Amino acid sequence: MVYTLVCHLEAKDDDSIEKIKRKLIEAARVYRKDKETVDWFVMQDVNNPRKFSIVERFEHESSQKYHLENPYWKTFDPYVKPLCVNQHIELSRHEELDTSKDVELLPL
């Protein structure tokens, strides 16, 4: 199954929004080419333009190593974190569920 990271970040001020947006677009174009990366999506909240999400999809949990070994990584965090609220990027890790097979629904 696909291993997925979901990252949420928030720009610290209005001046940081466009900088983060451009960096995320640039990063997606770079990281999509990494070995064992299924895709790398970037999104901006429709109600609060300061909030962004990144969905990183890898073939396996171990595939992250190619992402972290990419020389671009050394430029990404130092650029983005100072533009964020409390220099914090919220991260959650997921294993995608196998939706290719039929399942029997359990009673409510």
Side-chain angles (χ1 to χ4, degrees), residues 4 7 12 28 30-31 35 47-48 66 70 74 77-78 87:
T4 304
C7 309
K12 68 180 179 180
V30 170
Y31 290 138
K35 183 178 177 182
N47 295 312
N48 183 347
Y66 301 112
N70 186 321
K74 292 180 181 173
D77 258 16
Q87 295 193 16

Side-chain angles (χ1 to χ4, degrees), residues 4 14 17 26 32 37-38 42-43 46 50-52 58-59 61 67 79 81-83 87 89 91 93 99 108:
T4 304
D14 289 343
I17 294 171
E26 178 184 72
R32 281 185 177 133
T37 296
V38 176
V42 293
M43 295 157 275
V46 296
R50 285 191 185 188
K51 292 185 176 184
F52 296 89
F58 302 102
E59 290 178 13
E61 183 175 2
H67 171 63
Y79 183 88
K81 282 190 171 186
L83 301 172
Q87 295 193 16
I89 297 176
L91 178 68
R93 301 167 188 275
T99 60
L108 294 175

Side-chain angles (χ1 to χ4, degrees), residues 1 5 8 29 37 39 41 50 54 58 78 84 87 103 106:
M1 282 295 90
L5 297 176
H8 300 286
R29 291 178 163 205
T37 296
D39 215 331
F41 300 101
R50 285 191 185 188
I54 305 165
F58 302 102
C84 294
Q87 295 193 16
V103 294
L106 298 173

Side-chain angles (χ1 to χ4, degrees), residues 12-72:
K12 68 180 179 180
D13 53 39
D14 289 343
D15 293 334
S16 300
I17 294 171
E18 193 61 29
K19 292 175 185 173
I20 291 174
K21 186 186 218 175
R22 289 174 185 265
K23 190 66 169 179
L24 290 176
I25 292 168
E26 178 184 72
R29 291 178 163 205
V30 170
Y31 290 138
R32 281 185 177 133
K33 297 174 187 173
D34 282 348
K35 183 178 177 182
E36 296 185 15
T37 296
V38 176
D39 215 331
W40 216 85
F41 300 101
V42 293
M43 295 157 275
Q44 186 174 20
D45 190 295
V46 296
N47 295 312
N48 183 347
R50 285 191 185 188
K51 292 185 176 184
F52 296 89
S53 295
I54 305 165
V55 178
E56 306 173 38
R57 300 179 71 231
F58 302 102
E59 290 178 13
H60 314 280
E61 183 175 2
S62 62
S63 304
Q64 292 177 87
K65 77 177 200 153
Y66 301 112
H67 171 63
L68 297 173
E69 290 172 354
N70 186 321
Y72 184 81

